[in-house]
Amino acid sequence: MDLKSNHASPVLTDPAQVNKSRLGIHSSLSPSLSGKYITIPRRKAGTLDDVRSNGWLDSMKSSSPPRKKLIKDFNVEVAPDDTDIAYGSWMLKYPSALNSFEQITNYAKNKKIAVFLDYDGTLSPIVDDPDRALMSDAMRSAVRNVAKYCPTAIISGRSRDKVYELVGLTELYYAGSHGMDIMGPDKHAVSNDHQYCNKSTDPLGKEVNLFQPASEFIPMIDEVFRTLVENTKGIKGAKVEDHKFCTAVHYRKVDEKNWPTVAQLVHDVLKDYPRLRLTHGRKVLEVRPVIDWNKGKAVEFILESLALDKGDDVLPIFIGDDRTDEDAFKVLREINRGYGILVSSVPKETKAFYSLKDTTEVMKFLESLVRWKKWEEEEEANRPRSP
Ligand SMILES: O=P(O)(O)OC[C@H]1O[C@H](O[C@H]2O[C@H](CO)[C@@H](O)[C@H](O)[C@H]2O)[C@H](O)[C@@H](O)[C@@H]1O
């Protein structure tokens, strides 16, 4: 990747802010954090009031769209009228990307489209067990076809290896751990002295570039992961995932009455790690380094690496369903280029421009994009040339 440009260090350096805000300390300023992470001073466990007062519990309750009312006796889903009305008026603000396809392609004419896709809830439906969140063959083929016409990247909260394994397409770029682990092409020069960049090989042995701005946190995350596994052992349904640069505590299968306990456990562990912070996903608590890096930064980085960051002839499109995707939607609004598309079947506050209801609509949108790109290429090929 082209790293010759001036990427600001994502690891911020204002120690005074560490406990107050989301800022972190570079290891060079904090010798005790750059060595081993073996002994953690254990503090007294807090009370459930901690997670009530800091809003974690409220966030947990609203972290995934509520299911439509289920009439158990008949086992059918009935959408109450007011839900549909609310969704309808929300869509006036965030129109369907399918219904607005012509508008999107009018704007995309003669532009290169760069496609960014989240994984869970976007390419694969949300299911109870994260290990069973598989992508359908039809979706895989839609993504493969899109990548024939548009540079395409997957940007996921999962570890890069895991999402690569789930998607299984070698022609894409992959960013795992919410963009903190980017595997990009080797075709662009990499400044060897860039502190976060390394050359590597992908599972096929092809040379790739890795950008890992949070690599100094790997031992810390590993330690926290192991502590969380141990501490949540007694909570039925809790599951902790190791994403190398961040770790996720799932509570989707935990009885709701035990959610405060899950929150408090995570809160107590985090108290000992001021350089880590918590974000909320869909029925998941995510622990990640306090660095100025997220899916939005990853989009900017990939665009720049592919030399697609300048000029008006590039249209980035990011499709995602989760709160962490908002960072990417925000960046597209800020740089005033491209479109964020939120996947949601319920009204949500978002920085996206358009919406899609579910993964089926995502697939339809990708297929439409491929048909349109094919048509555009054919038009271009058949255009009479002046002699
Ligand atoms: O950025 P993403 O690719 O959307 O990853 C975000 C999290 O996705 C996964 O969890 C979510 O999907 C699971 C499977 O459908 C579901 O069981 C869970 O409740 C959702 O939160 C993944 O397991 C997490 O580690 C990711 O952080």
Side-chain angles (χ1 to χ4, degrees):
M1 290 188 177
D2 183 1
L3 296 172
K4 284 182 182 140
S5 62
N6 255 342
H7 265 295
S9 164
V11 182
L12 300 176
T13 52
D14 183 357
Q17 295 293 318
V18 163
N19 287 319
K20 293 186 209 149
S21 74
R22 295 177 160 190
L23 300 182
I25 315 171
H26 193 279
S27 58
S28 60
L29 295 178
S30 176
S32 63
L33 294 169
S34 55
K36 288 182 181 168
Y37 300 92
I38 305 298
T39 321
I40 322 160
R42 295 277 165 230
R43 294 188 199 162
K44 219 174 104 207
T47 67
L48 294 183
D49 288 345
D50 290 337
V51 293
R52 286 199 176 100
S53 61
N54 68 10
W56 283 23
L57 270 181
D58 289 338
S59 290
M60 287 169 82
K61 283 181 186 152
S62 61
S63 79
S64 210
R67 295 242 165 91
K68 286 180 179 172
K69 199 176 154 210
L70 185 70
I71 302 182
K72 285 204 179 101
D73 293 349
F74 301 99
N75 207 25
V76 286
E77 281 195 0
V78 174
D81 286 348
D82 52 354
T83 310
D84 290 341
I85 293 166
Y87 191 69
S89 49
W90 178 79
M91 278 179 75
L92 295 175
K93 202 167 166 199
Y94 307 102
S96 157
L98 283 173
N99 296 343
S100 314
F101 195 72
E102 201 179 329
Q103 199 179 326
I104 295 175
T105 49
N106 277 341
Y107 190 67
K109 247 176 222 148
N110 304 320
K111 290 192 173 79
K112 192 163 203 171
I113 302 180
V115 177
F116 296 92
L117 301 164
D118 164 57
Y119 183 77
D120 290 280
T122 299
L123 297 181
S124 73
I126 294 293
V127 292
D128 279 351
D129 181 356
D131 293 332
R132 302 188 68 83
L134 304 178
M135 194 173 158
S136 69
D137 288 342
M139 181 67 98
R140 185 168 294 103
S141 143
V143 176
R144 182 187 288 117
N145 289 333
V146 163
K148 285 180 192 157
Y149 296 94
C150 314
T152 302
I154 309 287
I155 305 194
S156 171
R158 290 182 183 255
S159 74
R160 179 173 48 79
D161 287 349
K162 185 71 197 176
V163 79
Y164 186 99
E165 182 190 315
L166 287 165
V167 176
L169 296 171
T170 52
E171 51 273 65
L172 313 181
Y173 308 114
Y174 288 87
S177 308
H178 299 291
M180 287 181 284
D181 187 6
I182 302 178
M183 183 174 78
D186 189 39
K187 59 185 173 197
H188 295 281
V190 173
S191 156
N192 284 333
D193 58 12
H194 196 289
Q195 60 177 320
Y196 301 118
C197 215
N198 286 308
K199 283 210 178 273
S200 184
T201 48
D202 72 5
L204 298 179
K206 198 172 74 188
E207 278 241 318
V208 290
N209 289 311
L210 291 184
F211 179 73
Q212 299 176 328
S215 48
E216 67 175 290
F217 288 87
I218 295 174
M220 190 188 281
I221 292 290
D222 180 55
E223 185 175 87
V224 169
F225 164 71
R226 283 183 284 117
T227 308
L228 288 169
V229 169
E230 188 57 35
N231 293 6
T232 55
K233 255 184 190 162
I235 303 177
K236 193 164 168 241
K239 182 180 172 85
V240 188
E241 278 182 307
D242 178 14
H243 297 322
K244 194 168 174 181
F245 299 94
C246 51
T247 183
V249 182
H250 291 270
Y251 56 91
R252 185 173 290 279
K253 293 208 295 188
V254 174
D255 193 321
E256 193 166 338
K257 71 174 188 307
N258 293 326
W259 290 3
T261 314
V262 175
Q264 191 62 49
L265 276 171
V266 177
H267 184 271
D268 289 342
V269 172
L270 273 186
K271 268 198 233 164
D272 292 320
Y273 296 90
R275 298 180 79 214
L276 300 180
R277 67 180 169 114
L278 181 111
T279 54
H280 294 267
R282 298 181 68 168
K283 303 273 185 277
V284 66
L285 299 175
E286 297 178 292
V287 175
R288 51 157 116 179
V290 183
I291 63 166
D292 185 21
W293 200 263
N294 53 40
K295 288 190 177 187
K297 297 268 180 187
V299 166
E300 288 182 299
F301 181 87
I302 293 172
L303 285 174
E304 190 186 325
S305 305
L306 296 171
L308 297 175
D309 58 324
K310 306 245 160 44
D312 289 334
D313 58 344
V314 178
L315 184 82
I317 291 181
F318 189 106
I319 312 182
D321 72 312
D322 209 346
R323 290 182 198 182
T324 58
D325 301 316
E326 291 295 329
D327 293 320
F329 300 153
K330 195 163 157 252
V331 158
L332 296 186
R333 278 199 187 254
E334 279 166 6
I335 61 175
N336 201 18
R337 288 168 76 209
Y339 300 119
I341 302 178
L342 176 71
V343 185
S344 181
S345 58
V346 294
K348 271 187 194 173
E349 193 49 49
T350 180
K351 292 267 184 247
F353 260 89
Y354 293 109
S355 64
L356 289 168
K357 214 170 193 141
D358 50 27
T359 54
T360 309
E361 286 204 356
V362 172
M363 191 168 84
K364 282 188 189 154
F365 180 81
L366 297 177
E367 288 167 348
S368 305
L369 207 55
V370 171
R371 278 196 297 275
W372 179 73
K373 271 284 170 193
K374 250 188 205 161
W375 171 85
E376 200 193 34
E377 274 193 11
E378 281 164 17
E379 285 284 293
E380 177 60 23
N382 295 332
R383 203 156 49 94
R385 319 256 157 213
S386 46

